[in-house]
């Protein structure tokens, strides 16, 4: 597996956030990096969806956060949300 590609575009490599968690090829830290990148993309997609600019990805924010929690990683949700300008 190409970690750099997975980190750059998680959805192109993994079918679901849980698949990242289940990967035997990645370290815990790599899984967290990939999931955090995916989380940022999902938050951006939700902002676009809220502004009626729909994207191709379904809402994945909660499954991504569930996957991070499975890895015992608890993102700072107070400071990580993109704001609408």
């Amino acid at each position: 597996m190409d970690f750099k590609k997975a980190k750059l575009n998680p959805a192109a490599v993994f079918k679901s956030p849980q698949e990242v968690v289940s990967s035997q090829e990645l370290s815990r830290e790599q899984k967290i990096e990939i999931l955090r990148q995916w989380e940022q993309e999902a938050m951006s997609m939700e902002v676009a969806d809220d502004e009626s600019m729909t994207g191709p990805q379904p809402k994945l924010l909660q499954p991504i956060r569930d996957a991070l929690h499975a890895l015992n990683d608890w993102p700072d949700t107070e400071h990580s949300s993109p704001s609408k300008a």
Side-chain angles (χ1 to χ4, degrees):
M1 171 188 316
D2 184 349
F3 171 69
K4 289 181 183 179
K5 180 180 178 183
K7 188 176 174 191
L8 183 63
N9 187 358
V13 177
F14 298 100
K15 293 178 184 175
S16 70
Q18 188 57 43
E19 192 176 332
V20 177
V21 174
S22 300
S23 174
Q24 299 295 314
E25 299 176 51
L26 298 168
S27 70
R28 178 181 175 273
E29 290 76 20
Q30 288 174 317
K31 292 174 185 181
I32 290 170
E33 284 185 55
I34 290 167
L35 289 167
R36 286 194 180 194
Q37 174 61 33
W38 209 346
E39 179 183 38
Q40 290 298 317
E41 291 173 14
M43 286 190 300
S44 295
M45 292 301 293
E46 284 197 3
V47 168
D49 191 42
D50 288 346
E51 295 173 355
S52 298
M53 297 183 296
T54 58
Q57 272 189 343
K59 294 198 182 243
L60 287 171
L61 195 52
Q62 191 58 53
I64 292 166
R65 289 189 174 153
D66 291 344
L68 285 164
H69 296 168
L71 294 170
N72 206 23
D73 185 74
W74 303 89
D76 180 0
T77 56
E78 273 186 43
H79 300 102
S80 62
S81 297
S83 60
K84 296 179 195 175

